[in-house]
Amino acid sequence: MTRMKMSRPLVAASAVAVLGCVAACGGGGDGADQDSKSSRSKASGRAAGGEKTKTPAEGSKDAKDPQDTGNTGDTGNPRDMRDPQDSSGGGARKGDGPLTKAQLKKAALATGDVKGFEVKESEGADLLGQTVPATPSKCQPIADMFLFSTDPASRAGVSRGAVSKDETNASVITFTLLAYKSGEAGEAGEAGEVMDGLRSATKDCTAYRHADYDYKDVKAAADPGLGDESVAFRLVASIEGAQVPAAYTVVRDGTTLVAFSSMNMLDPDEIEVPAELVKAQLAKLAKTTT
C-alpha cells in the first residue's frame, strides 16, 4: 500500500513526460488548415515528408484553454441521443452539426459522476491533439491516438484525466471528447472516417516508430460494443528506456468520439480502460446534449 501511494504520483508524472517527449518531436513547419488536411487524407492518406500540420488546438479561438483540443466548429443543434448502451449501430443524425466546445465541456465527466474516481484537469492536455508522422504509415491512426489527434481533425474537443481513489491502483487515465462534421443523408461523416482508420490499423499494424520512439505489441482488443461503433486496442511504448503499456477504447456516438487511454507502468498486466468510466461518459454525453 505504502509503495503504491508513493509511486502513483511518479507514474502520473512519467505519463505526462511521455506525452511531452512525443509532442516535442512533432515541431517544425507552418502547417496547413483543417480542410486541406482532410482533403489530403481522402486523396492519399497523409502528406509525404512528415510535415507538421496545424493542430486542432492551434486553430481554435479558445486555444489558450489547456483543457481544449480540436478546432472550433460550426454550432450544431443538440442531437436526438440514443441509449449509449445500445450497440445496434447507426450513423449521425441528418442535419446535425458538430457539438460545440461548450457542449463538450458540459458533457465531460467530473468528480462525483463516477464512484471511486476523481476527474481533474489533464496534466498533459495542452500537449494533446498534435500530429507526428509514424512509420509505417499504416499505423498512423494508432500513433495519432497517443496524443488524441485524428485525421480528419476534430472540429472541437476537450480532455480530462481520471484517477482511481484506490491508492493501490496505479493507472493513469486520460480521456477526450471530440466533435466532427456529419456526412450527408445521415452518414457518420468525419467521425466514421476516424473509426474506419482505427479499425483498419488495429488489423494491419503490429509495431511502428513515432517521434523517435518505438511502439510494439499493437493488438486489437475485444470490441466493447458501445455507442454506434467502438474499437479497443493495446500497445507497449518504449520511451526513454521505459516500457509503457497502454490500453485504448474509442467509441463513436453520432458525430462525437469518446476516447480513453490508460497507462500503468507499475502493473502492466492490469492495464485496462475501466468500462464504468466509458459507460458513464457516454451516458452523460447523451444526457447533456439532448
Side-chain angles (χ1 to χ4, degrees):
M1 177 76 73
T2 301
R3 182 181 71 87
M4 289 296 183
K5 286 185 177 180
M6 295 178 61
S7 300
R8 191 165 70 169
L10 296 178
V11 174
S14 297
V16 174
V18 166
L19 293 173
C21 288
V22 174
C25 293
D30 295 328
D33 61 26
Q34 173 191 280
D35 291 337
S36 297
K37 179 182 176 185
S38 296
S39 297
R40 289 199 307 272
S41 172
K42 294 176 181 178
S44 59
R46 189 170 294 272
E51 67 181 24
K52 177 180 180 290
T53 58
K54 184 169 71 174
T55 67
E58 290 169 341
S60 169
K61 291 186 294 184
D62 298 316
K64 64 182 180 180
D65 185 342
Q67 294 311 307
D68 298 330
T69 64
N71 288 332
T72 301
D74 297 333
T75 299
N77 295 323
R79 294 175 289 122
D80 180 14
M81 299 297 295
R82 61 192 290 276
D83 183 351
Q85 303 309 314
D86 179 2
S87 59
S88 59
R93 265 56 65 184
K94 183 177 181 180
D96 289 307
L99 296 181
T100 64
K101 187 178 298 183
Q103 287 174 308
L104 294 178
K105 284 183 176 181
K106 183 179 179 181
L109 287 177
T111 296
D113 288 336
V114 184
K115 184 178 180 180
F117 286 90
E118 284 187 24
V119 178
K120 57 183 181 179
E121 295 183 357
S122 177
E123 295 179 65
D126 56 333
L127 304 174
L128 304 180
Q130 300 191 44
T131 295
V132 184
T135 303
S137 59
K138 65 183 179 181
C139 297
Q140 191 68 51
I142 291 175
D144 279 346
M145 195 53 62
F146 199 80
L147 292 173
F148 292 131
S149 176
T150 62
D151 189 0
S154 60
R155 303 304 176 111
V158 298
S159 181
R160 300 288 184 265
V163 293
S164 172
K165 292 181 180 179
D166 178 358
E167 292 291 342
T168 66
N169 187 334
S171 295
V172 177
I173 301 166
T174 306
F175 65 95
T176 187
L177 282 71
L178 302 171
Y180 297 85
K181 183 179 179 181
S182 64
E184 297 180 359
E187 296 176 357
E190 295 172 340
E193 291 183 47
V194 174
M195 294 299 289
D196 288 344
L198 281 172
R199 191 173 294 106
S200 177
T202 58
K203 293 179 180 178
D204 301 332
C205 174
T206 57
Y208 61 94
R209 188 153 179 89
H210 182 230
D212 296 328
Y213 298 109
D214 293 313
Y215 298 77
K216 62 182 181 179
D217 298 335
V218 180
K219 298 178 181 178
D223 185 342
L226 297 171
D228 291 321
E229 57 180 325
S230 51
V231 174
F233 59 92
R234 299 183 178 209
L235 57 81
V236 177
S238 300
I239 298 178
E240 300 298 325
Q243 299 298 300
V244 186
Y248 289 81
T249 296
V250 184
V251 183
R252 179 178 69 81
D253 190 275
T255 58
T256 303
L257 294 187
V258 172
F260 278 80
S261 74
S262 178
M263 299 180 185
N264 192 324
M265 298 173 67
L266 296 182
D267 300 297
D269 293 336
E270 300 298 323
I271 187 70
E272 66 176 0
V273 174
E276 62 266 38
L277 279 177
V278 182
K279 292 178 181 179
Q281 180 57 85
L282 289 170
K284 188 171 183 180
L285 175 65
K287 181 179 179 180
T288 57
T289 57
T290 298

